[in-house]
Amino acid sequence: MKTKQILLASRPQGMPQASNFNMQEVELPPLQEGEVLLKALYISVDPYMRGRMSDSKSYVAPYELNQPINGGVVAEVSESKTTAFKKGDKVLGMLPWATYSVSKPEGLQKLPESSLPLSYYLGVLGMPGLTAYFGVMDICKPKAGETFVVSGAAGAVGTVVGQIAKQQGCKVVGIAGSDEKAALLKKHFLYDEVINYHTTANLQEAIAAACPQGVDCYFDNVGGDITDAVVANINTNARIALCGQISLYNEKSTPVGWRLLPTILTHSALIKGYIVSDYQAQFPQAQQQLALWMKEGKIHYTETIQTGFEQLPAAFMGLFSGANTGKMIVKV
């Protein structure tokens, strides 16, 4: 059987370009005992992938040149030579960017029959939703009446973060990149205030105005100037969940900004970076809670879905220009 694959053709210098990717068609090897043939249904594109396209040391190995990129994929079992899965099963796994792939059953999660769309397992019930859940509940630990600020508020993680914080009784303030996203966050995702950083002359003053009682919790997806402005407004004993730094991922040199640590020190604040896999043992309980909140109407969710396998590079690059609201997914 033939499959289409998208390879990393070269390592991006700065912003990823179409020339960094290459699509090819190859013949898959015959299926062996203990393997499954998978047909990709939905493929996730995520900001962390940009780090893996570089060859610098990180918490996960970089992608290899001229090899398929891999990430979160929801797939259907087309053929099975293992007792773990049968034809027609839907699974979630870290799989190559390919229309079809061969895999061992280890590392694949069988998805339950549910009224929720399969794509949600790449979003609110997958890595982004779990990232939001643990950052809010385990690191920030918000209390009723506190002020909670979220950068990248209109992204896949940020839309869920704000709603979880709101359920804990917080005032929730988001930072996003357009008036349209700000309106959506306030109307559908329970945000009390949203700041458009593109049209705000002085972010530090805007955050102070939106948070007159100061900032108790900050969920950081962005870094850079936005984080400088938020940290300048933190309260004593503030908690900061360091989830992402998307504003810095495409920098060609190390940026220099305001030194945050004196403020962290004098305010007895906590700042903790984390990777969602740190909480892997707790995934089932968190997924169950997120699914319950969705069925109860306490969490709303949105996706930006591009259609067509060949759209993967463009969808990925769109993450860095704010082309998505909520989770960016490619429907194969």
Side-chain angles (χ1 to χ4, degrees):
M1 168 178 282
K2 292 187 181 297
T3 181
K4 293 179 181 178
Q5 300 176 333
I6 294 179
L7 318 180
L8 182 65
S10 59
R11 300 198 184 279
Q13 302 298 315
M15 193 72 71
Q17 307 292 324
S19 58
N20 298 130
F21 305 91
N22 182 37
M23 187 164 70
Q24 68 175 15
E25 188 173 74
V26 299
E27 188 78 25
L28 284 174
L31 200 65
Q32 303 296 314
E33 289 299 323
E35 294 180 336
V36 289
L37 175 66
L38 300 173
K39 177 184 179 181
L41 302 177
Y42 296 94
I43 299 179
S44 177
V45 294
D46 299 284
Y48 80 86
M49 293 176 166
R50 175 60 183 85
R52 295 194 67 188
M53 291 176 185
S54 301
D55 58 2
S56 55
K57 184 178 180 181
S58 185
Y59 61 89
V60 64
Y63 294 128
E64 294 183 31
L65 288 176
N66 301 311
Q67 294 296 318
I69 294 166
N70 75 311
V73 177
V74 169
E76 181 177 1
V77 176
S78 292
E79 186 180 349
S80 177
K81 289 193 174 182
T82 171
T83 57
F85 300 104
K86 66 180 186 299
K87 183 177 180 179
D89 283 346
K90 308 300 190 299
V91 299
L92 172 68
M94 294 297 289
L95 298 168
W97 282 9
T99 51
Y100 286 87
S101 61
V102 173
S103 176
K104 299 282 189 182
E106 292 78 17
L108 297 177
Q109 175 189 350
K110 183 178 177 180
L111 298 180
E113 295 289 337
S114 172
S115 59
L116 298 173
L118 286 170
S119 57
Y120 279 23
Y121 287 92
L122 295 173
V124 64
L125 299 179
M127 182 267 290
L130 294 168
T131 299
Y133 181 87
F134 293 114
V136 175
M137 301 302 288
D138 187 68
I139 297 174
C140 290
K141 295 186 169 91
K143 305 177 185 68
E146 291 189 322
T147 299
F148 198 117
V149 175
V150 187
S151 61
V157 176
T159 52
V160 181
V161 168
Q163 295 178 85
I164 297 175
K166 192 67 180 174
Q167 287 190 64
Q168 310 311 306
C170 294
K171 175 181 180 178
V172 184
V173 176
I175 303 172
S178 73
D179 290 340
E180 292 77 12
K181 288 181 178 180
L184 185 69
L185 286 167
K186 293 177 75 172
K187 183 176 181 180
H188 292 292
F189 298 110
L190 309 182
Y191 275 78
D192 296 293
E193 302 287 345
V194 183
I195 298 166
N196 179 350
Y197 67 87
H198 279 310
T199 58
T200 300
N202 189 313
L203 267 176
Q204 185 172 328
E205 290 180 359
I207 292 165
C211 308
Q213 304 302 316
V215 176
D216 299 294
C217 299
Y218 174 43
F219 194 103
D220 186 13
N221 287 304
V222 174
D225 294 339
I226 290 175
T227 292
D228 291 349
V230 176
V231 172
N233 285 282
I234 61 171
N235 288 330
T236 298
N237 297 319
R239 289 85 69 201
I240 300 170
L242 183 57
C243 172
Q245 299 282 281
I246 195 171
S247 71
L248 308 177
Y249 290 165
N250 296 307
E251 293 288 344
K252 296 181 181 179
S253 58
T254 303
V256 177
W258 180 43
R259 310 294 199 221
L260 302 180
L261 293 182
T263 305
I264 299 295
L265 173 64
T266 57
H267 287 77
S268 301
L270 167 73
I271 181 168
K272 186 177 189 300
Y274 72 108
I275 308 301
V276 69
S277 57
D278 298 343
Y279 295 92
Q280 192 161 5
Q282 300 173 54
F283 281 5
Q285 300 95 309
Q287 284 177 316
Q288 189 175 41
Q289 180 63 73
L290 288 164
L292 178 61
W293 280 337
M294 291 200 71
K295 290 173 181 176
E296 292 176 343
K298 294 179 179 177
I299 284 185
H300 302 282
Y301 182 63
T302 190
E303 302 168 301
T304 299
I305 298 182
Q306 304 285 351
T307 300
F309 178 73
E310 68 282 354
Q311 297 301 317
L312 273 164
F316 172 73
M317 292 184 286
L319 295 173
F320 302 98
S321 60
N324 61 302
T325 299
K327 183 75 185 80
M328 180 75 92
I329 290 174
V330 171
K331 181 179 179 181
V332 179

